[in-house]
Amino acid sequence: MNYPISDRIKNMSESATLAMAAKARELKSQGIDIISLSLGEPDFKTPKHIQEAAKKAIDSEKYFAYPPVSGYQDLREAIANKLEKENGIPSSPDQIVVSNGAKQSIANLMLSLLNPGDEVIVFAPFWVSYTELVKLAGATPVYVTGTLENDFKPTAEQLKDAITDNTKAVLYSSPCNPTGSVFSKEELEKLAMVLRQYDNIVVMSDEIYEHINFGNEGHVSMASLPGMAERTITINGFSKGFAMTGWRVGYISAPLPIAKAATKIQGQITSGNSSIAQRAALAAITEDLKPTMDMTKTYHKRRDMMLDLLKEMPGVVTNVPKGAFYIFPDISNFFGKSDGETKVKNADELAIYILKKANVSVVTGTAFGAPNCIRISYAASDDELKEAMARLKKVLAELK
Ligand code: PMP
Ligand code: GLU
């Protein structure tokens, strides 16, 4: 057989985070004691009251039919209400589109807004799926890269320099996956000052880690700044803040024509998101945020512990992540070094070396547009993190 596989798929990279997680899972199933720090997945259970809402929805027998494509009206009302009250974003239910995770929200946007030849400015380091989804739409990602010295945050000047007549959108996450960096209000305002000059460029602000923020300023949304709501799509979801990765609920709040475009494509590809998951999401967004805040406190403590443990490893250079649950150290000091058997040339090889020798899975920075770095997720227990860092310290010290 000569099976047809499209050029679209041939040209697409596999998700590096999911691929590394699968590799770790496979080694684990062979009985190898792998500590998996590759996947950005909360190690907490979905809070009980959210679980209960899903059980109640099933027992009511009211939610077995196709839900509306863009999500149940009451969920969209609750999301619009939350965005207004908590984020200062003017929003109405018809601007909300609920999807199968924020990943689908982003795919919807790319496929419904971009034509071949269009450019999307992607702030680097970036989350792995951004660039592949831009390319899937036939458009071109243009990278604007933040340096470690500037906490991996690109500046307004860099943004301005990257804009061309083909630029259609700017995409970033804050808090950032993979760097943990958070744009302050002042920094967002500087970016906004550039963006307000262009009526043909939209901002895609991925705020899925909004609750996992360790700073005193709290989360600031781009769309809350003057003049920005009309040009900003806010992307968010329940996976991270509510430990609901498997429930698959994400959403956008967008100017109406964009919300309609995203709904149109979703209507052809998947229809509305799982009815029961939406009822759970409604409880998450309208009820007690304490479990979310407690999880964030734990991530904050772990971040501090991880920074202390990484400080004990000569050659490892980090910024101080202000949110999310990742550390993104620069490990280029180890390139060209060998343990006597294996020579490590780059971040890809270092990630494999760490997996094979320390049995700890991390993700190469190359997949995030930062070839000098690796990403370590600290969404794991203190004991696992301590053990993983002890192993890492040992195998890095063997590289001479
Ligand atoms: N955006 C960012 C920055 C992420 O890290 C993730 C991780 N999964 C997503 C979007 C997608 O999340 P989900 O599809 O689980 O809602
Ligand atoms: N966003 C998470 C990560 O970066 C989950 C994996 C994925 O969806 O790619 O690890």
Side-chain angles (χ1 to χ4, degrees):
M1 278 298 296
N2 201 1
Y3 295 111
I5 303 290
S6 70
D7 291 345
R8 198 178 299 119
I9 288 302
K10 285 182 194 152
N11 294 333
M12 182 187 263
S13 315
E14 194 181 347
S15 163
T17 48
L18 297 182
M20 198 58 168
K23 209 173 267 172
R25 220 175 281 138
E26 188 191 315
L27 291 174
K28 235 182 207 170
S29 74
Q30 292 166 15
I32 302 172
D33 171 25
I34 299 284
I35 303 178
S36 183
L37 306 184
S38 45
L39 200 58
E41 170 139 77
D43 57 315
F44 297 104
K45 296 225 170 2
T46 303
K48 269 274 179 276
H49 67 283
I50 301 175
Q51 298 180 28
E52 290 308 323
K55 289 182 200 164
K56 239 164 88 185
I58 293 177
D59 289 341
S60 77
E61 302 191 334
K62 278 192 340 211
Y63 299 100
F64 296 153
Y66 283 125
V69 172
S70 59
Y72 287 120
Q73 176 73 16
D74 55 357
L75 176 58
R76 286 183 292 114
E77 272 166 18
I79 291 171
N81 199 21
K82 168 246 180 311
L83 291 173
E84 292 241 8
K85 280 208 183 113
E86 288 177 18
N87 303 76
I89 300 175
S91 183
S92 66
D94 49 359
Q95 290 177 262
I96 308 295
V97 184
V98 178
S99 301
N100 292 279
K103 199 179 262 186
Q104 187 188 20
S105 303
I106 298 165
N108 283 344
L109 289 174
M110 299 308 165
L111 293 172
S112 51
L113 306 188
L114 302 175
N115 286 316
D118 289 344
E119 292 174 1
V120 176
I121 294 178
V122 178
F123 285 4
F126 49 77
W127 178 46
V128 292
S129 294
Y130 287 169
T131 47
E132 295 312 309
L133 293 174
V134 171
K135 288 192 245 165
L136 180 66
T140 307
V142 172
Y143 305 111
V144 171
T145 304
T147 58
L148 194 147
E149 295 68 40
N150 195 38
D151 204 15
F152 290 112
K153 290 186 271 196
T155 62
E157 290 73 33
Q158 285 177 285
L159 169 63
K160 196 171 175 53
D161 289 346
I163 292 174
T164 72
D165 290 346
N166 295 324
T167 308
K168 289 285 150 47
V170 176
L171 171 60
Y172 64 83
S173 59
S174 177
C176 176
N177 177 4
T179 64
S181 300
V182 175
F183 280 120
S184 66
K185 186 167 184 183
E186 200 185 331
E187 287 161 338
L188 287 177
E189 185 50 57
K190 284 189 183 149
L191 297 171
M193 263 161 66
V194 174
L195 293 160
R196 283 190 201 103
Q197 295 166 34
Y198 298 90
D199 280 348
N200 49 348
I201 299 179
V202 291
V203 184
M204 300 176 183
S205 174
D206 183 343
E207 304 181 14
I208 195 164
Y209 294 94
E210 70 163 331
H211 290 301
I212 310 171
N213 183 331
F214 314 134
N216 295 329
E217 189 184 41
H219 180 73
V220 183
S221 293
M222 180 62 102
S224 69
L225 302 182
M228 290 311 290
E230 69 198 56
R231 60 187 82 238
T232 302
I233 302 146
T234 304
I235 302 161
N236 207 329
F238 296 83
S239 288
K240 315 294 175 176
F242 300 93
M244 291 177 71
T245 49
W247 299 74
R248 313 304 305 129
V249 197
Y251 61 87
I252 55 166
S253 170
L256 201 52
I258 294 179
K260 280 187 178 158
T263 305
K264 190 170 174 184
I265 194 149
Q266 183 158 300
Q268 291 292 14
I269 295 183
T270 56
S271 298
N273 174 233
S274 153
S275 57
I276 303 303
Q278 286 192 56
R279 303 322 291 166
L282 181 64
I285 208 161
T286 50
E287 292 176 26
D288 192 5
L289 270 185
K290 189 171 179 300
T292 297
M293 297 306 147
D294 288 346
M295 286 188 265
T296 297
K297 275 188 204 145
T298 305
Y299 291 132
H300 194 162
K301 278 195 207 130
R302 288 180 188 164
R303 180 208 63 178
D304 292 344
M305 180 181 87
M306 290 292 281
L307 285 173
D308 285 345
L309 293 171
L310 286 166
K311 259 190 222 140
E312 293 171 13
M313 300 180 207
V316 175
V317 186
T318 66
N319 67 326
V320 177
K322 312 289 185 309
F325 37 56
Y326 307 104
I327 297 211
F328 200 59
D330 182 315
I331 37 62
S332 56
N333 283 323
F334 297 96
F335 297 171
K337 295 192 174 173
S338 165
D339 67 345
E341 266 175 34
T342 310
K343 188 165 173 186
V344 169
K345 284 202 293 291
N346 52 37
D348 293 11
E349 291 187 5
L350 188 68
I352 296 296
Y353 171 80
I354 294 168
L355 179 66
K356 295 222 168 112
K357 196 148 180 195
N359 291 339
V360 174
S361 73
V362 298
V363 186
T364 171
T366 314
F368 303 90
N372 286 342
C373 298
I374 53 171
R375 191 190 75 174
I376 306 173
S377 161
Y378 54 88
S381 71
D382 285 9
D383 287 347
E384 277 181 308
L385 292 173
K386 279 184 200 151
E387 171 62 20
M389 290 305 103
R391 292 187 197 175
L392 184 64
K393 185 177 173 184
K394 184 164 174 291
V395 302
L396 288 181
E398 285 168 18
L399 289 174
K400 303 264 169 21

